Amino acid sequence: MKIISDSVSFSTEGFNDIKDLTGLVEKRLMANRLKDGIVNIFVPGSTGGVTTIEYEPGLVEDFSRLMEKLAPSNIPYNHDKRWGDGNGFSHVRAALIGPSMNVPFSDGRLSLGTWQQIVFVDFDNRARTRTVLLQFMGV
Amino acid sequence: MKIISDSVSFSTEGFNDIKDLTGLVEKRLMANRLKDGIVNIFVPGSTGGVTTIEYEPGLVEDFSRLMEKLAPSNIPYNHDKRWGDGNGFSHVRAALIGPSMNVPFSDGRLSLGTWQQIVFVDFDNRARTRTVLLQFMGV
Amino acid sequence: MKIISDSVSFSTEGFNDIKDLTGLVEKRLMANRLKDGIVNIFVPGSTGGVTTIEYEPGLVEDFSRLMEKLAPSNIPYNHDKRWGDGNGFSHVRAALIGPSMNVPFSDGRLSLGTWQQIVFVDFDNRARTRTVLLQFMGV
């Protein structure tokens, strides 16, 4: 059993920018030559989240609209009064979706559904470079 | 330390059909003869989610109502305009709840609370046969 | 590779009382002398959840307001009609946020962002003593 601490980095545009990480995670799985186990995908920050979705433009927009409806960007947040970052909505959305997800793999392949992709959602209010941690555990 | 790739299958009715998987997961844990570790419960698809709830009819209905309120089934979704599946609401609900959850076990038993059950929520808009992956890691 | 079943206990006030568990989890990680791996943080109960947030008073209040907006405490729940606990809102919030989260660690330190804390959210409607399970897996 091995534990391999890995990561992927990419640029994001903020405001519910949803990035398909499936290919990046698959490449790291192959490079690490593991066959069976889990990969923990973790966002080391408080304005991004991870989940899965069928990554097609319609749903990407639908999910973005859902986030805007649940935690609107145009209402007052106490965070903004105190810190002036203007990204209170980003933080509460990130806490709602969560920073952590595990995906199992078997025979060297991620055990995803056919229409299911791993996505990072950038809830922040500005473009950034993001790093997402991948903790592989397996054989 | 062992890694065991297992799964459970069952039929669902769609429209927030909430299935108690606790007994099924417990049986697989016993069959695999592990004592201490975690089981990663993963939905390999984009219209179902996993969480825990006190599985009694009142709460099952309350949670279903919450999902209908947060992501209504009777509003337009871009996914439906493009693909005609009519299940845009299913996809965004699944992305909100998430496909993955870990449950620890100790001394051969799932470490759940007394009134806490592992549930699969079928957000899709039709009856299906579902398979949920169980990746056991432990000793 | 070791598996260590640990836990932390603390008191909560209910009604979205949000507790920063980061220091407690770090102490247990150090005491268990692991360097690389993951810790599964699990709430063995159906009225609490775990996530991460930037733990400052503004956001703590913002997240509490979001929960009250999404699953209000002053609307009827079927759970309350059947059981009279008056905490239907607590249960559906807990199912929405989820009881389980994994955090990776590397070189003996939790791999959190600078402004990111591990939090337990007590959704119940009364003060309690809470125990959260920590399943460490690593080397």
Side-chain angles (χ1 to χ4, degrees):
Chain A
M1 169 81 82
K2 283 185 191 167
I3 297 175
I4 299 170
S5 297
D6 206 338
S7 65
V8 291
S9 294
F10 47 91
S11 57
T12 54
E13 300 299 319
F15 301 102
N16 293 332
D17 186 15
I18 300 179
K19 292 288 183 189
D20 181 358
L21 301 189
T22 315
L24 292 172
V25 178
E26 271 175 348
K27 273 185 195 161
R28 299 315 309 155
L29 173 58
M30 288 202 296
N32 289 319
R33 296 173 178 277
L34 294 173
K35 293 201 70 175
D36 298 294
I38 58 170
V39 53
N40 175 242
I41 302 167
F42 188 83
V43 180
S46 49
T47 58
V50 282
T51 186
T52 63
I53 202 165
E54 181 184 337
Y55 194 78
E56 60 86 14
L59 277 173
V60 164
E61 195 177 331
D62 290 331
F63 189 69
S64 180
R65 284 186 189 184
L66 175 63
M67 289 296 102
E68 182 62 32
K69 178 191 157 192
L70 299 184
S73 55
N74 62 354
I75 62 170
Y77 288 90
N78 290 285
H79 180 65
D80 301 333
K81 285 179 207 156
R82 287 168 180 267
W83 302 94
D85 295 344
N87 67 351
F89 69 95
S90 316
H91 285 277
V92 297
R93 291 178 191 182
L96 177 64
I97 296 302
S100 182
M101 181 174 66
N102 281 12
V103 179
F105 52 90
S106 199
D107 287 327
R109 306 197 126 223
L110 296 170
S111 305
L112 294 164
T114 312
W115 311 106
Q116 181 184 31
Q117 279 76 41
I118 300 167
V119 291
F120 172 83
V121 190
D122 182 24
F123 293 118
D124 216 341
N125 60 354
R126 59 188 173 93
R128 299 180 60 171
T129 298
R130 294 286 198 170
T131 296
V132 167
L133 306 180
L134 305 178
Q135 194 82 309
F136 289 94
M137 301 179 75
V139 290
Chain B
M1 169 81 83
K2 282 185 192 167
I3 296 176
I4 299 169
S5 297
D6 206 338
S7 65
V8 291
S9 294
F10 47 92
S11 58
T12 54
E13 298 301 318
F15 300 102
N16 293 332
D17 186 14
I18 300 179
K19 291 288 182 189
D20 181 358
L21 300 189
T22 315
L24 292 173
V25 178
E26 272 175 346
K27 273 185 196 162
R28 299 315 309 156
L29 173 59
M30 288 202 296
N32 289 318
R33 297 173 177 276
L34 294 173
K35 294 201 71 175
D36 298 293
I38 58 171
V39 54
N40 177 242
I41 301 167
F42 188 83
V43 180
S46 49
T47 57
V50 281
T51 187
T52 63
I53 203 165
E54 181 183 337
Y55 194 78
E56 60 85 15
L59 277 173
V60 164
E61 195 178 332
D62 290 330
F63 189 69
S64 179
R65 284 187 188 182
L66 175 63
M67 289 296 102
E68 182 62 33
K69 178 191 157 194
L70 299 185
S73 56
N74 63 353
I75 63 170
Y77 289 90
N78 290 285
H79 180 67
D80 300 334
K81 285 179 206 155
R82 286 168 181 269
W83 301 94
D85 294 345
N87 68 350
F89 69 95
S90 316
H91 285 277
V92 298
R93 291 177 191 181
L96 178 64
I97 296 302
S100 182
M101 182 174 65
N102 280 13
V103 178
F105 51 89
S106 199
D107 287 325
R109 305 197 128 223
L110 296 170
S111 305
L112 293 164
T114 312
W115 311 106
Q116 180 184 32
Q117 280 76 40
I118 299 166
V119 291
F120 171 83
V121 190
D122 182 23
F123 293 118
D124 216 340
N125 61 353
R126 58 189 173 91
R128 299 180 60 171
T129 299
R130 294 285 197 170
T131 296
V132 167
L133 305 180
L134 307 177
Q135 193 83 309
F136 289 94
M137 301 178 76
V139 291
Chain C
M1 170 80 82
K2 283 186 192 167
I3 297 175
I4 299 169
S5 298
D6 206 337
S7 65
V8 290
S9 293
F10 47 91
S11 58
T12 54
E13 299 300 318
F15 301 103
N16 293 332
D17 186 15
I18 300 179
K19 292 288 182 189
D20 181 358
L21 301 188
T22 315
L24 291 172
V25 178
E26 272 176 347
K27 273 185 195 160
R28 299 315 309 154
L29 173 58
M30 288 202 296
N32 289 319
R33 295 174 179 275
L34 294 173
K35 293 201 70 176
D36 298 293
I38 57 171
V39 54
N40 176 242
I41 302 167
F42 189 83
V43 180
S46 50
T47 57
V50 281
T51 186
T52 63
I53 202 164
E54 181 183 337
Y55 194 79
E56 59 86 15
L59 277 174
V60 165
E61 194 177 332
D62 290 330
F63 189 69
S64 180
R65 284 187 188 182
L66 175 63
M67 289 296 102
E68 182 63 33
K69 178 191 158 193
L70 299 184
S73 56
N74 63 353
I75 63 170
Y77 289 90
N78 290 286
H79 180 66
D80 301 334
K81 286 178 207 155
R82 286 168 180 268
W83 302 94
D85 294 344
N87 67 352
F89 69 96
S90 316
H91 285 277
V92 296
R93 291 177 191 182
L96 178 63
I97 297 301
S100 182
M101 182 173 66
N102 280 12
V103 179
F105 51 89
S106 200
D107 287 326
R109 306 197 125 221
L110 296 170
S111 306
L112 294 164
T114 312
W115 310 106
Q116 180 183 31
Q117 279 77 41
I118 299 167
V119 291
F120 171 83
V121 190
D122 182 23
F123 293 118
D124 217 341
N125 60 354
R126 59 189 172 93
R128 299 181 60 171
T129 299
R130 293 287 196 169
T131 296
V132 167
L133 305 179
L134 306 177
Q135 194 82 310
F136 289 94
M137 301 179 75
V139 290

